[in-house]
Amino acid sequence: EVMGQPAQRKTDLNNLGAAIAGVTDNKVFVNELLLSTDGSSVQDHLPVDGVNTHTNVSTANGSSTVKSGGVPVNRTGDADSCGHTRVGGSSNVNIG
């Protein structure tokens, strides 16, 4: 049984196609990509209505139990600070 959700890493996308652009203060790699923790930067992107570009977005709502350097690790399904959710992620590393 697979527990948790796929780990999110630098370059993984949210449900509007905005990638994690920068990972903050973390040296952990998953599948050769930096593991994302809360506060990682997300590319600017247009919401579905095509108005008011989401800027200064960061990853948020990471795991309450799995942390890297004391910071929650991001998983598929976690909502970014703008409310859009993480998609994709690692094919073989899951976070509770």
Side-chain angles (χ1 to χ4, degrees):
E1 178 180 339
V2 174
M3 299 297 289
Q5 292 295 319
Q8 286 284 303
R9 306 145 309 167
K10 186 173 181 183
T11 71
D12 285 333
L13 306 175
N14 68 17
N15 65 335
L16 285 186
I20 295 171
V23 174
T24 55
D25 197 30
N26 181 11
K27 307 268 187 284
V28 177
F29 287 82
V30 171
N31 312 118
E32 301 179 10
L33 296 170
L34 277 170
L35 179 66
S36 178
T37 55
D38 282 0
S40 295
S41 62
V42 176
Q43 291 175 325
D44 293 351
H45 56 283
L46 279 175
V48 176
D49 64 11
V51 183
N52 299 322
T53 299
H54 289 179
T55 59
N56 299 313
V57 174
S58 61
T59 60
N61 302 295
S63 174
S64 62
T65 56
V66 181
K67 296 177 171 46
S68 176
V71 182
V73 170
N74 300 122
R75 307 155 296 183
T76 297
D78 291 344
D80 289 340
S81 62
C82 64
H84 294 121
T85 54
R86 298 267 108 221
V87 297
S90 173
S91 63
N92 62 356
V93 176
N94 293 298
I95 305 296

